[in-house]
Amino acid sequence: MISVVEGQALQAELLTDKGNLRQQLELAIRKTPAIDVHTHVHPLEFDSLFLSGIDDLLTYHYLIAEVFRSTDLSHAQFWRMTKLERADFIWKTLFVENTPLSEATRGIVTILNAFNLDTRAENLAEAREFFSSQDPREHLDRVLETACVSDVVMTNDPFHDQELVTWQAGIEPDARFHASLRLDTLLNDWPTAVDGLKSQGFNVSTTLNTETHLEIRRFLDKWILRMRPVYMAVSLPADFEYPADDERTQLIREVILPTAHEHNLSLALMMGVRRGVNPALRAAGDGLGKADITALERICADYPEAKFLATMLSRENQHELCVAARKFNNLMPFGCWWFLNNPSIVSEITNERLELIGPSFVPQHSDARVLEQLIYKWQHARIVITESLYETYARLLDSGRPVTSNEIVRDVSRLFAGNFSKWVDFSGSTTR
Ligand code: RAT
Ligand code: ZN
């Protein structure tokens, strides 16, 4: 048995052999629990918002978009099907009649494999039987453990009916799940927000005057008290401008940032989405566009006391996001979002970030919507991040500076949890 002192000495040993370096890194990455900083997963307490099992997995909007690449079926015919029929159809089309080469299809394979289910099955009978026979709570624990995720941040828009009903019923979510207060309706769809605010009893007018600002503030205070979010967030279109002569800028300046300041909350800016590029695809119909980095730079410069998390959807924005983070230390880049969450691009972005800002970023979030997606999204992310870090440490070694296992553990913990928890002042599930 190794004594504590000997163990410490071992961990402090310089890793001058690349094989050993890789081994220690793989171990650290496998064992370090991640905080999943942005998902759409909900715990069981949220009833119909809790998605799990093969039918929810196969009807993920990433796969719905892909199935139309390999069928002549019309959108209308597809939407007339029940959820189970859609899942059968997607399985048959993308997994039986075609090889699941894309990232989203491979994700399903990874999940089935994690549960020892047949990845080449002709139909979904075995998978359905497996998922329906699981005890939901034990299954949730098993998924989080397999994914090695300690904490999950949800997306919670208080204008969303089902969210509203659940929170108003006074639920206490599973302690590993944390809210993020999503501001999309408020900042991107002001007319709908006005109706929603009125129906929740807030006295707002369409014109943004002082009284309306105060009422929105009261609305945010109420929801912050109820949800105890770890940050506030908004997804922004590719043509987002700041400052601009519009409601969004006014709301950000007069209401959102003062609220963030008062409650010590970061604001996550998720830039570059183009909603409804093909409405026939419904939730699968969103696209992307290159956003204007100067909007992000200006907001960071205008509010040096505020803290911003930022992710951008276009590959073309990634390098400038790193450069912006070098200029503004109130800016934390996070994740490889949505259409970027593919090994080739995650690898490129992670390398770029390591080269430009060292270990001072949050490399990935899952964006999972269905519980078991946590398994594939994190397994795939860990493989790519391992490669990027390995190459980085190996280059450092070649330059004459070996690292120790302790340093590897420190870096991986920072990347997978520490950077985020420090940024948002988050104490995690253990202390709630
Ligand atoms: O990745 C996704 O599932 C997208 O549909 C969006 O939800 C996106 O991540 C967002 O948060 O707006
Ligand atoms: Zn998302």
Side-chain angles (χ1 to χ4, degrees):
M1 200 169 126
I2 305 174
S3 73
V4 177
V5 179
E6 274 168 337
Q8 277 171 356
L10 251 181
Q11 287 179 352
E13 188 192 318
L14 296 178
L15 300 168
T16 46
D17 173 79
K18 288 189 182 164
N20 197 8
L21 169 66
R22 179 181 274 280
Q23 236 179 16
Q24 296 297 319
L25 175 61
E26 283 174 357
L27 185 71
I29 294 213
R30 205 170 48 243
K31 297 259 176 211
T32 304
I35 300 177
D36 198 338
V37 309
H38 169 67
T39 79
H40 301 264
V41 175
H42 289 75
L44 286 148
E45 294 79 11
F46 282 75
D47 296 326
S48 65
L49 291 177
F50 170 73
L51 302 181
S52 166
I54 195 64
D55 295 299
D56 284 326
L57 286 166
L58 285 169
T59 50
Y60 186 33
H61 68 87
Y62 291 27
L63 293 175
I64 291 178
E66 284 175 34
V67 82
F68 286 104
R69 307 282 317 150
S70 299
T71 180
D72 293 329
L73 198 79
S74 73
H75 297 116
Q77 282 169 315
F78 178 80
W79 294 120
R80 271 198 294 275
M81 292 181 191
T82 63
K83 180 158 92 178
L84 267 61
E85 286 167 347
R86 289 174 197 168
D88 284 328
F89 176 70
I90 289 175
W91 179 258
K92 181 165 89 47
T93 309
L94 294 181
F95 296 82
V96 180
E97 292 171 358
N98 288 286
T99 311
L101 297 177
S102 75
E103 175 63 8
T105 52
R106 185 170 69 96
I108 298 284
V109 173
T110 300
I111 297 168
L112 294 175
N113 201 37
F115 294 117
N116 287 319
L117 296 167
D118 184 0
T119 56
R120 299 184 55 92
E122 284 296 312
N123 60 50
L124 298 175
E126 182 199 36
R128 284 193 176 124
E129 159 62 24
F130 169 80
F131 286 109
S132 64
S133 65
Q134 301 306 302
D135 172 80
R137 289 198 184 276
E138 282 170 19
H139 182 64
L140 173 66
D141 292 347
R142 181 176 176 190
V143 169
L144 291 178
E145 204 173 299
T146 310
C148 197
V149 166
S150 61
D151 295 272
V152 174
V153 180
M154 307 176 273
T155 297
N156 311 88
D157 186 336
F159 290 104
H160 185 294
D161 287 345
Q162 191 57 36
E163 286 279 344
L164 199 73
V165 171
T166 321
W167 290 104
Q168 276 171 344
I171 48 115
E172 258 311 310
D174 181 309
R176 293 164 293 188
F177 288 72
H178 311 273
S180 71
L181 179 56
R182 186 75 175 232
L183 305 172
D184 281 34
T185 311
L186 189 63
L187 291 180
N188 297 334
D189 187 2
W190 177 236
T192 305
V194 171
D195 292 344
L197 284 159
K198 283 186 180 158
S199 72
Q200 290 188 41
F202 294 90
N203 188 17
V204 291
S205 61
T206 315
T207 330
L208 279 171
N209 52 29
T210 311
E211 199 198 337
T212 296
H213 289 164
L214 287 171
E215 281 297 273
I216 301 170
R217 178 57 198 269
R218 211 162 61 76
F219 165 83
L220 292 174
D221 287 345
K222 173 188 145 178
W223 282 104
I224 289 168
L225 199 69
R226 186 161 287 170
M227 291 179 177
R228 287 181 292 144
V230 287
Y231 59 80
M232 296 193 281
V234 61
S235 76
L236 294 160
D239 61 6
F240 166 61
E241 281 177 47
Y242 174 90
D245 186 16
D246 59 11
E247 277 124 4
R248 193 191 282 121
T249 294
Q250 225 187 104
L251 285 168
I252 290 176
R253 282 187 158 155
E254 304 298 332
V255 190
I256 305 302
L257 289 171
T259 308
H261 178 76
E262 183 100 348
H263 292 273
N264 190 25
L265 288 171
S266 292
L267 178 62
L269 302 171
M270 307 173 67
M271 298 170 62
V273 58
R274 284 169 56 236
R275 300 280 177 199
V277 168
N278 184 356
L281 284 173
R282 300 189 185 173
D286 300 339
L288 64 77
K290 184 177 188 292
D292 180 2
I293 194 73
T294 65
L296 182 61
E297 288 167 349
R298 278 192 218 111
I299 201 167
C300 289
D302 280 0
Y303 294 91
E305 303 300 322
K307 282 176 152 186
F308 300 97
L309 288 150
T311 198
M312 300 184 85
L313 195 49
S314 147
R315 182 183 175 205
E316 288 69 26
N317 278 126
Q318 301 311 316
H319 183 251
E320 37 192 37
L321 175 58
C322 293
V323 176
R326 293 174 67 88
K327 307 299 137 194
F328 298 99
N329 71 354
N330 59 340
L331 174 61
M332 174 63 82
F334 77 96
C336 303
W337 184 21
W338 197 347
F339 307 114
L340 300 170
N341 192 358
N342 309 304
S344 64
I345 304 184
V346 175
S347 166
E348 174 181 293
I349 295 176
T350 308
N351 291 339
E352 213 160 58
R353 288 176 177 169
L354 285 168
E355 286 165 0
L356 280 158
I357 51 174
S360 69
F361 63 99
V362 177
Q364 192 51 312
H365 64 267
S366 75
D367 237 312
R369 283 173 185 263
V370 185
L371 178 68
E372 297 82 5
Q373 288 170 345
L374 292 171
I375 295 175
Y376 98 74
K377 303 238 189 191
W378 281 102
Q379 186 174 312
H380 294 191
R382 279 185 158 90
I383 292 170
V384 178
I385 295 168
T386 303
E387 280 317 309
S388 293
L389 274 174
Y390 171 72
E391 282 162 24
T392 307
Y393 287 133
R395 271 196 297 270
L396 191 58
L397 177 60
D398 291 342
S399 294
R401 205 293 194 176
V403 292
T404 66
S405 316
N406 269 343
E407 287 170 334
I408 292 180
V409 169
R410 179 189 63 195
D411 297 345
V412 174
S413 316
R414 238 190 112 166
L415 290 165
F416 279 27
N419 285 339
F420 177 75
S421 38
K422 196 164 166 212
W423 197 259
V424 303
D425 207 2
F426 169 76
S427 44
S429 51
T430 44
T431 53
R432 266 185 66 179

